């Protein structure tokens, strides 16, 4: 029964995330936001909505390990699993903003999470406010950057929805995410109890992969439609939002206590390590391009991560 809850939760999260993504992109197009900004902000926030809802509910239900494991696991899955699969479908030409804005901000956010946990294995309310404040500053910077982006960067393949459809997708998507998170949290926590495994293990594997499915869907669709600026920007932006928004908002509502501190340090080292490897793949062997070989390397790393986590 718990497996059925998890399966139904995943389905609702996928559908809800996809509907929310459509409405978010439609709204952004109405506001004439360039596609690189769409990928880093609107799409990233929409695809991070499952992580936010699942983490907040897990923390409120007294399962902080599930909440934190979900964020760290999702960030690892986004860069290793999702990007790896996307690169097997098509290579991605990387824009200059990767090493000037996107990647540095992601690394700063990741290091902030590491140092906050290093002190007392706790993300306090004050630290949560700091993370959210950093996110606000980052968003303001991106909005100012938008003025420097030329109009030809706007997407021609993505069509804006009508206002009634946009509102409908926004409403139905939100309901889907809420219902999916309810089923997923209940099923995952009960499964952890039934099999005698930690909530951290369930969060870092099953839940994190499930909540990363919207990123995978959005990235594959973006690559197929040749909107690769959205694809890579979405994944990096999603990792930024996962830490600054998901962890930040969750810890403001209720402080996140890492019960299994030694294991979380291990998980965060993997997150930092894969993040540090990404620029090497971007500049080697071919500068500013991610190829299928890079995708295989990332998938191999994710396989090693899962093996070390489960064993």
């Amino acid at each position: 029964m718990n497996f059925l809850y998890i399966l139904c939760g995943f389905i609702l999260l996928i559908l809800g995330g996809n509907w929310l993504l459509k409405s978010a992109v439609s709204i952004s197009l109405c506001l004439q936001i360039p596609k690189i900004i769409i990928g880093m902000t609107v799409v990233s926030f929409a695809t991070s909505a499952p992580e936010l809802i699942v983490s907040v509910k897990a923390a409120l239900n007294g399962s902080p390990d599930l909440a934190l494991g979900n964020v760290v696991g999702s960030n690892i899955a986004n860069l290793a699993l999702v990007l790896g699969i996307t690169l097997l479908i098509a290579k991605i030409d990387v824009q200059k903003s990767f090493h000037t804005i996107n990647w540095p901000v992601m690394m700063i956010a990741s290091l902030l999470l590491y140092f906050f946990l290093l002190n007392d294995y706790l993300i306090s309310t004050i630290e949560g406010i700091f993370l959210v404040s950093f996110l606000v500053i980052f968003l303001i910077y991106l909005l100012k950057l938008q003025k420097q982006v030329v109009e030809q960067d706007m997407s021609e393949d993505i069509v804006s929805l009508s206002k009634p459809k946009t509102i409908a997708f926004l409403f139905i998507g939100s309901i889907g995410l809420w219902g999916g998170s309810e089923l997923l949290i209940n099923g995952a926590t009960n499964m952890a109890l039934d099999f005698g495994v930690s909530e951290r293990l369930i969060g870092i594997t099953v839940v994190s992969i499930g909540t990363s499915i919207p990123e995978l869907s959005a990235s594959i669709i973006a690559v197929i439609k040749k909107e690769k600026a959205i694809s890579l920007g979405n994944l990096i932006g999603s990792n930024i939002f996962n830490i600054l928004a998901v962890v930040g908002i969750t810890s403001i509502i209720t402080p996140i206590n890492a019960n299994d501190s030694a294991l979380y340090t291990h998980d965060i080292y993997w997150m930092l390590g894969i993040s540090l490897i990404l620029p090497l793949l971007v500049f080697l062997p071919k500068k500013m391009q991610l190829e299928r070989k890079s995708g295989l390397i990332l998938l191999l790393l994710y396989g090693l991560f899962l093996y070390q986590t489960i064993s």
Side-chain angles (χ1 to χ4, degrees), residues 81-90 92 216 219-220 223 231 235:
L81 178 65
V82 176
L83 183 57
I85 293 174
T86 304
L87 289 174
L88 292 184
I89 298 172
I92 295 177
L216 178 60
S219 295
I220 291 177
V223 165
S231 177
L235 295 176

Side-chain angles (χ1 to χ4, degrees), residues 68-87:
L68 191 58
N70 175 34
V71 169
V72 176
S74 290
N75 278 19
I76 295 172
N78 284 346
L79 293 184
L81 178 65
V82 176
L83 183 57
I85 293 174
T86 304
L87 289 174

Side-chain angles (χ1 to χ4, degrees), residues 65 121 198 200-201 257-267:
D65 277 1
Y121 308 114
S198 66
R200 166 231 169 225
L201 182 59
N257 185 20
N259 296 330
D260 208 340
S261 54
L263 291 174
Y264 272 120
T265 303
H266 164 269
D267 297 335

Side-chain angles (χ1 to χ4, degrees), residues 221-239:
I221 291 171
V223 165
I224 291 174
K225 292 186 176 182
K226 297 182 180 180
E227 296 293 346
K228 297 174 184 178
I230 289 181
S231 177
L232 185 60
N234 165 42
L235 295 176
I236 295 179
S238 182
N239 277 21

